[in-house]
PDB file of all heavy atoms in Angstrom:
ATOM      1  N   TRP F 805      -0.496   5.446  25.710  1.00 81.00           N
ATOM      2  CA  TRP F 805      -1.493   5.980  24.814  1.00 81.00           C
ATOM      3  C   TRP F 805      -2.070   4.825  23.962  1.00 81.00           C
ATOM      4  O   TRP F 805      -3.380   4.895  23.738  1.00 81.00           O
ATOM      5  CB  TRP F 805      -0.870   6.949  23.927  1.00 81.00           C
ATOM      6  CG  TRP F 805      -1.720   7.597  22.926  1.00 81.00           C
ATOM      7  CD1 TRP F 805      -2.695   8.548  22.953  1.00 81.00           C
ATOM      8  CD2 TRP F 805      -1.795   7.229  21.488  1.00 81.00           C
ATOM      9  NE1 TRP F 805      -3.431   8.767  21.821  1.00 81.00           N
ATOM     10  CE2 TRP F 805      -2.756   7.922  20.818  1.00 81.00           C
ATOM     11  CE3 TRP F 805      -1.130   6.228  20.809  1.00 81.00           C
ATOM     12  CZ2 TRP F 805      -3.117   7.810  19.530  1.00 81.00           C
ATOM     13  CZ3 TRP F 805      -1.391   6.066  19.381  1.00 81.00           C
ATOM     14  CH2 TRP F 805      -2.389   6.811  18.814  1.00 81.00           C
ATOM     15  N   LYS F 809      -6.017   3.832  23.980  1.00 71.00           N
ATOM     16  CA  LYS F 809      -6.742   3.884  22.633  1.00 71.00           C
ATOM     17  C   LYS F 809      -7.436   2.485  22.445  1.00 71.00           C
ATOM     18  O   LYS F 809      -8.561   2.418  21.979  1.00 71.00           O
ATOM     19  CB  LYS F 809      -5.831   4.188  21.623  1.00 71.00           C
ATOM     20  CG  LYS F 809      -6.539   4.347  20.252  1.00 71.00           C
ATOM     21  CD  LYS F 809      -5.454   4.819  19.260  1.00 71.00           C
ATOM     22  CE  LYS F 809      -6.015   4.667  17.770  1.00 71.00           C
ATOM     23  NZ  LYS F 809      -5.006   4.951  16.822  1.00 71.00           N
ATOM     24  N   GLN F 812     -10.390   1.960  24.769  1.00 64.00           N
ATOM     25  CA  GLN F 812     -11.539   2.841  24.260  1.00 64.00           C
ATOM     26  C   GLN F 812     -12.242   2.189  23.045  1.00 64.00           C
ATOM     27  O   GLN F 812     -13.485   2.185  22.932  1.00 64.00           O
ATOM     28  CB  GLN F 812     -11.092   4.281  23.927  1.00 64.00           C
ATOM     29  CG  GLN F 812     -10.562   5.087  25.187  1.00 64.00           C
ATOM     30  CD  GLN F 812      -9.882   6.385  24.733  1.00 64.00           C
ATOM     31  OE1 GLN F 812      -9.863   6.669  23.684  1.00 64.00           O
ATOM     32  NE2 GLN F 812      -9.431   7.071  25.789  1.00 64.00           N
ATOM     33  N   ASP F 886      -9.119  13.232   9.823  1.00 65.00           N
ATOM     34  CA  ASP F 886      -9.395  11.989  10.461  1.00 65.00           C
ATOM     35  C   ASP F 886      -8.177  11.331  11.195  1.00 65.00           C
ATOM     36  O   ASP F 886      -8.276  10.841  12.215  1.00 65.00           O
ATOM     37  CB  ASP F 886     -10.155  11.056   9.551  1.00 65.00           C
ATOM     38  CG  ASP F 886     -10.641   9.802  10.255  1.00 65.00           C
ATOM     39  OD1 ASP F 886     -11.321   9.944  11.316  1.00 65.00           O
ATOM     40  OD2 ASP F 886     -10.284   8.667   9.822  1.00 65.00           O
ATOM     41  N   LEU F 887      -7.087  11.381  10.398  1.00 64.00           N
ATOM     42  CA  LEU F 887      -5.845  10.843  10.896  1.00 64.00           C
ATOM     43  C   LEU F 887      -5.369  11.597  12.076  1.00 64.00           C
ATOM     44  O   LEU F 887      -4.984  11.033  13.096  1.00 64.00           O
ATOM     45  CB  LEU F 887      -4.853  10.929   9.802  1.00 64.00           C
ATOM     46  CG  LEU F 887      -3.454  10.169  10.185  1.00 64.00           C
ATOM     47  CD1 LEU F 887      -3.565   8.781  10.735  1.00 64.00           C
ATOM     48  CD2 LEU F 887      -2.367  10.312   9.137  1.00 64.00           C
ATOM     49  N   LEU F 888      -5.507  12.851  12.067  1.00 65.00           N
ATOM     50  CA  LEU F 888      -5.094  13.741  13.243  1.00 65.00           C
ATOM     51  C   LEU F 888      -6.161  13.466  14.378  1.00 65.00           C
ATOM     52  O   LEU F 888      -5.651  13.421  15.581  1.00 65.00           O
ATOM     53  CB  LEU F 888      -5.157  15.253  12.809  1.00 65.00           C
ATOM     54  CG  LEU F 888      -4.119  15.704  11.814  1.00 65.00           C
ATOM     55  CD1 LEU F 888      -4.364  17.084  11.385  1.00 65.00           C
ATOM     56  CD2 LEU F 888      -2.775  15.616  12.470  1.00 65.00           C
ATOM     57  N   ARG F 889      -7.377  13.237  14.084  1.00 64.00           N
ATOM     58  CA  ARG F 889      -8.286  12.927  15.276  1.00 64.00           C
ATOM     59  C   ARG F 889      -7.902  11.602  15.851  1.00 64.00           C
ATOM     60  O   ARG F 889      -7.994  11.570  17.088  1.00 64.00           O
ATOM     61  CB  ARG F 889      -9.713  12.930  14.684  1.00 64.00           C
ATOM     62  CG  ARG F 889     -10.801  12.588  15.662  1.00 64.00           C
ATOM     63  CD  ARG F 889     -12.232  12.521  15.178  1.00 64.00           C
ATOM     64  NE  ARG F 889     -12.136  11.356  13.994  1.00 64.00           N
ATOM     65  CZ  ARG F 889     -12.240  10.155  14.361  1.00 64.00           C
ATOM     66  NH1 ARG F 889     -12.245   9.638  15.496  1.00 64.00           N
ATOM     67  NH2 ARG F 889     -12.208   9.230  13.311  1.00 64.00           N
ATOM     68  N   ARG F 890      -7.573  10.711  15.029  1.00 63.00           N
ATOM     69  CA  ARG F 890      -7.291   9.330  15.639  1.00 63.00           C
ATOM     70  C   ARG F 890      -6.026   9.363  16.432  1.00 63.00           C
ATOM     71  O   ARG F 890      -5.867   8.580  17.360  1.00 63.00           O
ATOM     72  CB  ARG F 890      -7.197   8.230  14.581  1.00 63.00           C
ATOM     73  CG  ARG F 890      -8.482   7.991  13.905  1.00 63.00           C
ATOM     74  CD  ARG F 890      -8.528   6.593  13.163  1.00 63.00           C
ATOM     75  NE  ARG F 890      -7.300   6.497  12.265  1.00 63.00           N
ATOM     76  CZ  ARG F 890      -7.312   6.828  11.078  1.00 63.00           C
ATOM     77  NH1 ARG F 890      -8.398   7.307  10.462  1.00 63.00           N
ATOM     78  NH2 ARG F 890      -6.238   6.701  10.247  1.00 63.00           N
ATOM     79  N   SER F 891      -5.114  10.245  15.960  1.00 63.00           N
ATOM     80  CA  SER F 891      -3.853  10.309  16.599  1.00 63.00           C
ATOM     81  C   SER F 891      -3.773  11.419  17.760  1.00 63.00           C
ATOM     82  O   SER F 891      -2.729  11.673  18.259  1.00 63.00           O
ATOM     83  CB  SER F 891      -2.629  10.489  15.695  1.00 63.00           C
ATOM     84  OG  SER F 891      -2.900  11.710  15.086  1.00 63.00           O
ATOM     85  N   ALA F 892      -4.952  11.910  18.042  1.00 67.00           N
ATOM     86  CA  ALA F 892      -4.966  13.072  19.077  1.00 67.00           C
ATOM     87  C   ALA F 892      -4.503  12.466  20.404  1.00 67.00           C
ATOM     88  O   ALA F 892      -4.949  11.392  20.788  1.00 67.00           O
ATOM     89  CB  ALA F 892      -6.416  13.538  19.253  1.00 67.00           C
ATOM     90  N   GLY F 893      -3.603  13.222  20.926  1.00 72.00           N
ATOM     91  CA  GLY F 893      -3.040  12.863  22.268  1.00 72.00           C
ATOM     92  C   GLY F 893      -1.782  11.845  22.177  1.00 72.00           C
ATOM     93  O   GLY F 893      -1.232  11.645  23.140  1.00 72.00           O
ATOM     94  N   GLU F 894      -1.502  11.500  20.950  1.00 77.00           N
ATOM     95  CA  GLU F 894      -0.338  10.652  20.772  1.00 77.00           C
ATOM     96  C   GLU F 894       0.904  11.298  21.085  1.00 77.00           C
ATOM     97  O   GLU F 894       1.185  12.485  20.574  1.00 77.00           O
ATOM     98  CB  GLU F 894      -0.321  10.087  19.380  1.00 77.00           C
ATOM     99  CG  GLU F 894       0.860   9.078  19.068  1.00 77.00           C
ATOM    100  CD  GLU F 894       0.937   8.568  17.812  1.00 77.00           C
ATOM    101  OE1 GLU F 894       0.168   8.909  16.918  1.00 77.00           O
ATOM    102  OE2 GLU F 894       1.799   7.691  17.469  1.00 77.00           O
ATOM    103  N   PRO F 895       1.791  10.871  21.972  1.00 83.00           N
ATOM    104  CA  PRO F 895       3.037  11.668  22.253  1.00 83.00           C
ATOM    105  C   PRO F 895       3.823  11.812  21.080  1.00 83.00           C
ATOM    106  O   PRO F 895       3.985  10.970  20.225  1.00 83.00           O
ATOM    107  CB  PRO F 895       3.726  10.718  23.274  1.00 83.00           C
ATOM    108  CG  PRO F 895       2.584   9.824  23.910  1.00 83.00           C
ATOM    109  CD  PRO F 895       1.597   9.601  22.747  1.00 83.00           C
TER     110      PRO F 895
END
Side-chain angles (χ1 to χ4, degrees):
W805 173 82
K809 180 182 174 184
Q812 292 170 4
D886 184 56
L887 180 61
L888 291 174
R889 177 186 58 79
R890 292 201 307 270
S891 60
E894 181 178 7

